[in-house]
Amino acid sequence: MKEIFSNPDFKLGVLGGGQLGKMMLAETRRYDIYTRVMDPAADAPARLAANEFVQGSLTDYDTVMKFAQGLDVLTIEIENVNVDALEDLEKSGLKVFPQPSALRIIQNKATQKSFYGENGLPTSKFFTFNNKAELLEGLKEGNWEPPFVWKAATGGYDGFGVNIVRTADQIDELPDQPGLVEAFVPFEKELAVIVARNEHGDVVTYPVVEMEFHPTANQVEYVLCPATVDADIEEKARNLAVQAIEAYGLVGLLAVEMFQTKDGEVYINEVAPRTHNSGHLTIESNFTSQFEQHVRSVTGMPLGSTQLRLPAVMANLVGEDGHSGNVQYDGYQNLLSMPGVYIHLYGKSTTRPFRKMGHVTVTHTDRSEARAAAERAKDSIRVISRS
Ligand code: ADP
């Protein structure tokens, strides 16, 4: 294998140059690993840290094929890429991690959910359909009654494409498209585990985090680590993440979102085959951040320690409602003097309501102090548009 550090002949390609790419490239810069990044936006957040930046479509076959010429390893920071191209590149001998076979299953929520059923991974009861007629038939056949959850097979993210159906008349309004229906889980907590696997089959898991959602935006507002769960839940959740990454045979990172039920069960909700919002706090709170771990796992390096250094709470900074246009950050001045507070701004030039624009991580020996400080931080920073 080629030497990967400080070697311009070793090239790591990354499809997607958003904030996840930007934070990953902080690590490739630290290790001096040569990167080529592609994103459709000319002002993509990751553009400055890349050795080469290409503006182009991630979903266009020819563009992806051309981008990959001369790379040693190709990885992603977003799932919505042309998988046909990745398959052909893999066939031609390029290392593509995560593998296109796993990406194809995960890209579609219906095939993703069916995969859990086929592989014995605990998940809520469900059925899949191709259109509204099949949906209605499935509801009738299975005697489904609200509440249940409808999910679009493709095209949804951050809560878009997910409908919690609480009353029978909401069924009429559901769109005519492929998707799945699953049982509503009256969960105690939403948890996530990031797990990494390299080509040698080594696997490590991060400590379980707990997610708190914004009451109306259906978006994660805070991520907390360690999760306040019993040791047996921690173990179940970490084991489930290992089972999932091994079932996919995936090389790279898998972020596994889970529900902890009131009776102590842990179910898989969904996975992302890449770095994830629930792992941002690992930058400050763990020995190896998820971004470094991603780079290590796809380049065949030994995996790093996932041990927690300090409890941490991450708050997403999203665009304020009612503001669209060139971004301006207000009210961060007093945060800069608070110990253990780390501000990350993604470098997106324009804001819109609830767009992820940055995050703040607070570390503290006492998790509840970190939670309180994260809330203060979030309340004082405002992401607005410049008038
Ligand atoms: P997205 O890809 O948009 O993040 P998710 O499948 O994670 O979609 O769903 C978004 C949110 O909707 C979840 O974080 C959870 O709060 C809620 N949700 C999803 N599925 C269920 C379910 N089966 N039972 C209860 N709540 C659910």
Side-chain angles (χ1 to χ4, degrees), residues 84-96:
D84 292 337
L86 297 190
E87 271 171 355
D88 286 349
L89 289 164
E90 188 181 51
K91 271 187 216 140
S92 76
L94 179 65
K95 291 184 179 198
V96 183

Side-chain angles (χ1 to χ4, degrees), residues 109 124 149 151 157-160 162 164 182-185 187 190 213 218 257 259 269-270:
K109 283 200 186 206
S124 59
V149 184
K151 296 183 179 181
Y157 67 94
D158 283 347
F160 302 107
V162 174
I164 299 188
E182 63 182 39
F184 179 80
V185 182
F187 54 81
E190 293 201 52
F213 279 71
N218 201 13
E257 294 183 34
F259 298 125
N269 173 26
E270 59 167 4

Side-chain angles (χ1 to χ4, degrees), residues 117-133:
E118 289 152 17
N119 286 276
L121 297 163
T123 195
S124 59
K125 198 182 124 200
F126 72 98
F127 70 90
T128 63
F129 49 82
N130 291 309
N131 52 47
K132 184 121 186 203

